[in-house]
Amino acid sequence: MTHLVARALIGMQLLALLVGTQMPNDWRNGAVQAMHAPTWVSSLGHFVLFAGIAMVLAARPLAWPVARTLLVLLALALLTEGLQFFTSERHPRWVDVGIDMAGALAGVAWVKLGFLCFVRR
């Protein structure tokens, strides 16, 4: 993967996160019901997006240090929850920040453990 591809992946994930975060509650609930999905699908989406962003940041060619990756993603989680103050009928929750950070930790762990499994001795 090149730097350009990595940045494009992060950009697309951030766009999806921003759109999902700023979507009014009625729209979000309507989309979930239209897919006949359970109510927790939104939380799963946040987990997957944060895991994906963490994986791109932690893997080559970017290869950010773990602490930097987690701090940036914590700031992003707090920002996305804070932006919900400006969206109709949406409210920030600490549980959602925890879900986001669990995804970030999982993404970093997958990259680091995958590296350990495939390193040549």
Side-chain angles (χ1 to χ4, degrees):
M1 175 177 2
T2 65
H3 282 280
L4 185 61
V5 171
R7 289 186 182 124
L9 280 172
I10 291 171
M12 289 188 299
Q13 291 171 329
L14 288 175
L15 180 63
L17 185 64
L18 183 63
V19 168
T21 299
Q22 292 303 292
M23 186 182 298
N25 204 33
D26 291 338
W27 291 10
R28 187 187 72 161
N29 292 339
V32 169
Q33 289 174 355
M35 293 186 303
H36 303 290
T39 56
W40 49 264
V41 76
S42 176
S43 297
L44 178 64
H46 273 260
F47 181 90
V48 169
L49 279 171
F50 273 80
I53 294 170
M55 289 172 75
V56 173
L57 291 175
R60 293 186 191 274
L62 300 180
W64 282 15
V66 173
R68 180 180 180 190
T69 301
L70 294 178
L71 278 173
V72 166
L73 290 177
L74 175 61
L76 181 62
L78 292 171
L79 175 69
T80 57
E81 287 303 310
L83 285 173
Q84 289 185 17
F85 277 119
F86 304 108
T87 306
S88 74
E89 300 178 13
R90 298 283 300 269
H91 306 288
R93 298 182 321 161
W94 286 110
V95 169
D96 291 339
V97 173
I99 291 168
D100 295 344
M101 291 311 296
L105 285 168
V108 169
W110 285 329
V111 169
K112 296 303 179 185
L113 290 175
F115 174 75
L116 289 175
C117 292
F118 294 107
V119 75
R120 295 178 190 242
R121 294 177 191 232

